[in-house]
Amino acid sequence: CAAIFDWRSVFKPRSVPASETVVMLATVASVVATHDLAVGVLVGVLISFIWFAVRASRVHVHSEWEGSKRTYRVEGQLFFASAAELDNRIEHGCAAEEVHIDLSAAKIWD
């Protein structure tokens, strides 16, 4: 008989990443509560997506002055969820004559 997941991982939470444990427990709980595997899979996928979006929305912005020029070097994942954080980290109305935004180390998703 094949198992859907490894039951031993439930009893060894330190050996499995916290995000996977949360997704697995929420999936199992929703399947048990609704008796519908499709609902469990949907719950697991939604929680995984939210976890990914929160983790991926972190953007690192390094700022440096070179005379009257200011350069922002952006690292991380750029997509709709990280746009607001990028906007908050860039100083609007700064005294620089030129402002450069270097996206060479960023991954742009959309």
Side-chain angles (χ1 to χ4, degrees):
C1 180
I4 292 177
F5 66 90
D6 185 9
W7 279 99
R8 290 173 290 176
S9 64
V10 173
F11 304 108
K12 296 180 184 177
R14 293 185 193 271
S15 65
V16 179
S19 60
E20 291 181 23
T21 301
V22 169
V23 169
M24 180 182 61
L25 291 176
T27 302
V28 169
S30 61
V31 168
V32 169
T34 64
H35 302 289
D36 190 350
L37 182 60
V39 171
V41 169
L42 181 64
V43 167
V45 168
L46 287 175
I47 292 173
S48 294
F49 172 74
I50 291 168
W51 207 286
F52 167 77
V54 168
R55 240 185 22 242
S57 66
R58 295 187 183 115
V59 177
H60 302 286
V61 179
H62 306 283
S63 173
E64 57 189 48
W65 284 91
E66 298 170 20
S68 63
K69 179 176 88 169
R70 187 162 191 180
T71 302
Y72 293 98
R73 299 190 194 291
V74 180
E75 297 174 1
Q77 311 291 325
L78 284 179
F79 64 110
F80 67 94
S82 60
E85 185 175 349
L86 178 62
D87 186 48
N88 290 337
R89 294 185 180 232
I90 293 177
E91 181 184 346
H92 297 281
C94 73
E97 291 181 19
E98 290 182 44
V99 175
H100 292 242
I101 300 176
D102 181 4
L103 299 174
S104 61
K107 172 75 174 166
I108 300 173
W109 290 91
D110 58 1

